[in-house]
Amino acid sequence: MTRPDPDAGSLPAAGRRLLDSLARRAAVDEAIGVLQGWQGCDAAQARDELTEDTGEAGLAAEAARVAAAVDARADGTADPDYGGWA
């Protein structure tokens, strides 16, 4: 069985879509981990919490909201490897 060669012009666009998809997936997984830590729940419960008000369509927005909350609370100097950089 042979398969056609991909259109060289479509490869960069496909690569961008793949990177965007991976970034969204990583953001959602990070938000699920944060909620697990904050609420002491499992991954399924955390995902349900993220989709509770907005459904699957709002999952990325909720993940971004959780990341913004974490960033707002973060103390970069709390890192044990912090060497005084700004």
Side-chain angles (χ1 to χ4, degrees), residues 6 14 17 20 24 30-32 36 43 50 73 75 82 85:
R17 286 192 307 274
D20 290 345
R24 282 191 305 274
E30 184 176 290
I32 287 171
Q36 286 180 280
L50 283 174
R73 292 182 183 180
D75 174 9
Y82 178 69
W85 63 86

Side-chain angles (χ1 to χ4, degrees), residues 55-77:
E56 289 292 322
L59 188 57
E62 284 298 303
R65 184 186 62 77
V66 170
V70 169
D71 288 345
R73 292 182 183 180
D75 174 9
T77 62

Side-chain angles (χ1 to χ4, degrees), residues 3-82:
R3 54 182 186 171
D5 290 333
D7 175 15
S10 67
L11 292 178
R16 284 190 296 279
R17 286 192 307 274
L18 178 60
L19 288 175
D20 290 345
S21 176
L22 290 172
R24 282 191 305 274
R25 174 75 180 258
V28 168
D29 287 347
E30 184 176 290
I32 287 171
V34 168
L35 289 179
Q36 286 180 280
W38 282 351
Q39 298 176 356
C41 60
D42 65 22
Q45 291 169 318
R47 186 178 182 84
D48 289 345
E49 180 75 23
L50 283 174
T51 59
E52 184 176 67
D53 294 330
T54 61
E56 289 292 322
L59 188 57
E62 284 298 303
R65 184 186 62 77
V66 170
V70 169
D71 288 345
R73 292 182 183 180
D75 174 9
T77 62
D79 185 335
D81 296 327
Y82 178 69

